[in-house]
Amino acid sequence: MNRHRRSWLLAGVFLATMATASPSDPVAAGARAFEQQQWQTAYEYLVQPAGEGEPQAQYLLSRLFADGRGVPADPVTALTLLTFAARSEHPQAQYLLGNHYHRGELMERDPVLAHHWWQRAAEQGVVDAQLRLAAAYALGLGTERNREPAIGWYRRAAARGSAEAPAIPSRAELPTATRP
């Protein structure tokens, strides 16, 4: 076999090995596949770490099952995985779980639990959760109406770059008609 054919053959074997080898970080590989909308590939990378309790894998799998991307839509599995991820301190999972409790999706509506999960996500810097929490304090949703924490959370959201938050704390009255 001449040298060029051998080089091509070795390159082909190397590429085939790389394609079938497990990545050293399946969660990162699954997240990349998710971002590239390669849903089935994302599922294949994420299912084992999710089963082993990895919160990012659980969160991403919950989104696959919620929307039926690469897997049959299964809202109960989606909510279960989201809850596991939220309990493991995954901030986006906490925020989304708060939204589910706020809207009463797949569970009884519970403003107190919505507030709880938004609080946990907001404390980890999720701007959308900070805005929801501020509005919850301003409107008394799941907690007593309280102007000071509402203003504080709006300011924290503004400091993290929220375009929605800066004008709210400077008003004499906090919002009363809109709900998060």
Side-chain angles (χ1 to χ4, degrees), residues 2-3 27 41 46 51 61 64 70 83 93 104 131 141 149 156 161 166 168:
N2 72 31
R3 191 172 62 180
V27 177
T41 301
L46 297 170
L61 269 185
L64 293 178
T83 302
L131 292 170
L141 298 173
R156 284 175 78 170
I168 296 171

Side-chain angles (χ1 to χ4, degrees), residues 45-95:
Y45 279 125
L46 297 170
V47 70
Q48 183 176 349
E52 295 169 352
E54 209 300 320
Q56 176 69 0
Q58 292 169 335
Y59 168 72
L60 291 172
L61 269 185
S62 77
R63 293 190 50 206
L64 293 178
F65 279 105
D67 299 329
R69 297 176 180 168
V71 295
D74 185 344
V76 173
T77 299
L79 184 60
T80 301
L81 288 164
L82 187 67
T83 302
F84 286 146
R87 288 180 180 165
S88 295
E89 300 304 319
H90 189 284
Q92 281 302 119
Q94 292 170 336
Y95 169 67

Side-chain angles (χ1 to χ4, degrees), residues 147-159:
R147 179 182 170 85
E148 293 310 310
I151 291 171
W153 283 110
Y154 279 128
R155 287 187 177 149
R156 284 175 78 170

Side-chain angles (χ1 to χ4, degrees), residues 80-167:
T80 301
L81 288 164
L82 187 67
T83 302
F84 286 146
R87 288 180 180 165
S88 295
E89 300 304 319
H90 189 284
Q92 281 302 119
Q94 292 170 336
Y95 169 67
L96 289 180
L97 190 57
N99 290 349
H100 284 296
Y101 276 110
H102 174 68
R103 291 188 294 262
E105 295 174 345
L106 302 175
M107 76 244 320
E108 190 172 323
R109 187 175 185 280
D110 190 331
V112 173
L113 282 173
H115 183 273
H116 167 79
W117 289 112
W118 288 336
Q119 175 92 32
R120 289 178 68 177
E123 288 169 353
Q124 293 191 68
V126 177
V127 173
D128 290 336
Q130 292 171 342
L131 292 170
R132 293 272 181 145
L133 190 59
Y137 276 113
L139 299 169
L141 298 173
T143 188
E144 292 291 318
R145 188 174 175 169
N146 191 331
R147 179 182 170 85
E148 293 310 310
I151 291 171
W153 283 110
Y154 279 128
R155 287 187 177 149
R156 284 175 78 170
R160 293 190 57 87
S162 171
E164 298 173 46

